[in-house]
Amino acid sequence: MALKAYERRAHDLRRRIDDANYRYHVLDDPQISDQDYDALLRELIDLEEAHPDVRTPDSPTQRVGGTPAAGFPPYVHARPMLSLANAFDEDELLAFDARVHKLAGIDGDIAYTCELKIDGLAVSLRYDVGRLSAGGTRGDGSTGEEVTANLRAIKAIPLALRDAEVALPRHIDVRGEAYMRKSDFARLNADREARELAPFANPRNAAAGGIRQLDPKMTAERALSFYAYAVGEIDAPNPPQTQSALLAYLRALGFRVNEHAHGVPSIRDVLAFAQEWEAKRDALDYEIDGIVIKVDDLVLQARLGTVGKDPRWAIAYKFRAREARTKLLDITVSVGRTGVLNPNAVLEPVHIGGTTVSNATLHNQDYIRTNDIRVGDVVTVIRAGDVIPRVVGPVLELREGDLPEYTLPTVCPVCGSDVDRPEGEALSRCTNATCPAQRRERLRHFCSRGAMDIEGIGDQLSAALVDTETVRDVSDLYHLDLEKLLTLPRMAEKSASNVLAAIERSKSRGLARLLFGLGIRMVGAQNAAILAGDLGSITALAAATEEELLRSEGIGEQIARSVVLFFAQEPNRAMIERLAAAGVDVTAPLRPREPVGVLAGKTLVLTGTLPTLTRDEAKDLIVAAGGKVSGSVSKKTDYVVAGDDAGSKLEKAESLGIAIIDEAGLQALLTAG
Ligand code: IVH
């Protein structure tokens, strides 16, 4: 039967996209531009939408699909996924070779393959008649987790095998390492830090987390890659007979196979390979923690067998840990662009794995305290690839005398303003909105959509304005003119006047948006709107006490504290005055406050059984009198109304010193007005 034109086109598009993918992700040799690639993919998506019958499960449009999983079902490996015994020095490698000779009864040299030991996560991929049908993690070696949807999101993993050079296996389990490139890792962490999320410790954790995402879209975003290095069960015509042939075979089927892997005639060459890569590992864009040595002959491998989970025919040569001891000379504090105070270790310079380390991160106050790190200590420092060196902890046996505990400064080392560390948070921050360390980020936020929405001032222009000191804090925006703007790079008359017009328009956004734009800790768009509606002007807000702020719906102690602290900073007050003087609207329409009544503004908690009133009746009476009923006791509670069998709420009220009344007391309150 003849194919319809659109079927031919779909087939052709799939082939071209697969090919482009393969060249880009497997061969690292792209031949078409990203735009052309996107255009092909777009066309195929449209075509498949118009004609769903042409969509195939291995179509490149089907990499990220389906709904997020609730958890991962078990994935049973048809053949166990083995682990590896370790060798830590050359003697142990030679001992391994001697053992292989003895067990095999061979006198002459034994050929091995040497491979890089990629530091990622081992996974197994099942292909039936050339198509990826399932995949799972290693788990305990016999059962892992089924993560097929996520593995499909890794572009270096073929959805269908190539049959151009070798006959397709009827069935094959391909094993290899899913990993994250150092460059992708650095980007991921930079992005996480910008969003104030904890960075990943190393690429392996980031990769493992990526594979275990419940939503394959998240896996796709992590940009993982894959190197194939082994097979499990295989049913194929003419299967390879050596590990080196196996690697070539996997390559022919369309997998990425590490280009540095190669066969060597004897253990002497293995030693050279190990030395070479221990020295060169930093030049790679992925982390390796050693090399893997495998007996090349697969028949001999089978004869040697395994002990427990370790094959007798392979071993991992682990590189020396990149760790050293040195003296902690000082702790300096830098301020990040969101105002976070970062403690850094100043170290007596020490060589770790080929580089000299004289600085390392100490993360935050808690990290320093929990690990009991003190200036003057001899400390252990580790360096893991591209990751910034980290102080692990002190060598306590070597501590001399009484060293003082370290505490982070309570004022910002850049501008001298108060530092705030809200309860339960690990990070300490500078509270000054005009602090030079935070200028760029604050300006960018102020101009963003949800805040003052100043079109035209994005990342680049914010950076230029701050770096040229044209803008030191956001109030300077309202003193810009054409002349000043035109001195900036890439700024033409037209765009400059557009920017000025946008700044002018922003003056009337109102207090809620302004408040959000000021970037007060814990005051997001919603809290900003609540505070603006309840207080009506920035003057009222700046004068409000914590207690007054607490009366607003949803404003808790932490938020109230943060607002008061913000307005207590002299530079912030001065900046706000400048904003108001420049004509920025610092008011908001007042929202009608809570209903008036004898209990207006009061919060009551009911507990236990009252003699005559039911819970609901009591509640109705309180609400009718303008009061609020809350389910739990806190500092914000004004009265606890206790009946019989009152439990923990009563105890809590007592401990907080909150007024406790009975039903008669409540009635008295209600009539008091
Ligand atoms: S072979 C004998 N080859 O190392 C079969 N493993 O410690 C064992 N790994 O779980 C696997 N690169 O995650 C093999 N070229 C390589 C490897 C490699 C990294 C990892 C893998 C495995 C662990 C064993």
Side-chain angles (χ1 to χ4, degrees), residues 208-263:
I211 292 284
R212 299 191 73 264
Q213 290 291 327
L214 293 176
D215 185 351
K217 283 199 193 71
M218 303 293 287
T219 311
E221 276 174 21
R222 288 270 167 104
L224 303 181
S225 195
F226 177 79
Y227 276 126
Y229 50 64
V231 299
E233 204 169 62
I234 173 169
D235 175 7
N238 308 317
Q241 301 297 312
T242 62
Q243 172 68 12
S244 359
L246 178 69
L247 294 177
Y249 177 75
L250 289 172
R251 201 174 269 134
L253 288 174
F255 291 93
R256 266 178 90 85
V257 171
N258 189 269
E259 66 272 31
H260 304 299
H262 70 97

Side-chain angles (χ1 to χ4, degrees), residues 491-503:
M491 182 56 78
E493 185 125 4
K494 177 94 175 72
S495 41
S497 52
N498 284 343
V499 166
L500 288 176
I503 293 174

Side-chain angles (χ1 to χ4, degrees), residues 289-556:
D289 59 344
I291 65 168
V292 181
I293 299 106
K294 300 173 185 169
V295 166
D296 199 36
D297 181 348
L298 298 184
V299 177
L300 180 52
Q301 280 190 9
R303 260 179 55 208
L304 291 164
T306 59
V307 257
K309 282 189 179 144
D310 299 338
R312 286 203 190 84
W313 45 266
I315 197 158
Y317 170 79
K318 292 291 267 277
F319 294 148
R320 264 156 295 181
R322 298 203 284 187
E323 197 179 274
R325 286 177 175 189
T326 188
K327 191 159 185 169
L328 177 61
L329 300 174
D330 194 7
I331 297 179
T332 57
V333 176
S334 60
V335 183
R337 55 197 186 93
T338 57
V340 174
L341 268 62
N342 304 117
N344 310 304
V346 180
L347 304 166
E348 205 164 84
V350 60
H351 286 283
I352 312 181
T355 48
T356 308
V357 173
S358 48
N359 285 291
T361 177
L362 284 163
H363 299 290
N364 54 52
Q365 174 76 71
D366 285 349
Y367 185 83
I368 299 174
R369 179 143 315 148
T370 346
N371 293 292
D372 191 20
I373 299 165
R374 304 183 189 194
V375 173
D377 268 332
V378 173
V379 292
T380 306
V381 182
I382 61 167
R383 189 170 76 84
D386 266 10
V387 188
I388 319 159
R390 179 161 59 96
V391 173
V392 188
V395 184
L396 285 178
E397 312 87 84
L398 299 181
R399 180 173 286 171
E400 281 173 10
D402 244 357
L403 300 177
E405 272 185 41
Y406 177 82
T407 28
L408 223 52
T410 51
V411 295
C412 172
V414 174
C415 72
S417 296
D418 289 343
V419 163
D420 181 35
R421 180 183 168 192
E423 226 178 284
E425 283 196 23
L427 303 178
S428 309
R429 284 188 170 78
C430 164
T431 52
N432 175 7
T434 71
C435 175
Q438 306 172 51
R439 283 178 181 162
R440 264 198 201 193
E441 190 55 27
R442 289 207 175 250
L443 178 60
R444 197 197 53 71
H445 172 72
F446 187 81
C447 299
S448 69
R449 259 308 156 69
M452 297 297 263
D453 193 11
I454 305 182
E455 217 181 307
I457 308 191
D459 288 358
Q460 285 195 3
L461 188 51
S462 297
L465 287 167
V466 168
D467 296 349
T468 54
E469 302 217 348
T470 313
V471 167
R472 274 162 318 230
D473 68 54
V474 297
S475 71
D476 292 335
L477 279 176
Y478 299 94
H479 299 288
L480 285 177
D481 54 28
L482 216 48
E483 202 183 322
K484 280 189 199 155
L485 278 178
L486 286 174
T487 60
L488 299 175
R490 285 185 305 278
M491 182 56 78
E493 185 125 4
K494 177 94 175 72
S495 41
S497 52
N498 284 343
V499 166
L500 288 176
I503 293 174
E504 190 58 34
R505 282 196 299 277
S506 76
K507 287 182 178 171
S508 55
R509 301 271 181 255
L511 181 58
R513 303 269 293 267
L514 173 66
L515 213 49
F516 173 55
L518 290 178
I520 303 171
R521 213 51 221 140
M522 310 182 86
V523 180
Q526 193 180 332
N527 288 337
I530 291 170
L531 290 169
D534 283 352
L535 288 126
S537 76
I538 204 141
T539 329
L541 196 63
T545 62
E546 277 185 42
E547 290 72 48
E548 282 162 333
L549 296 172
L550 282 171
R551 282 193 217 133
S552 286
E553 191 72 37
I555 303 300

Side-chain angles (χ1 to χ4, degrees), residues 8 17 88 94 100 449 456 545 590 659:
R8 275 201 307 274
I17 295 167
F88 291 100
L94 292 171
V100 172
R449 259 308 156 69
T545 62
L590 267 178

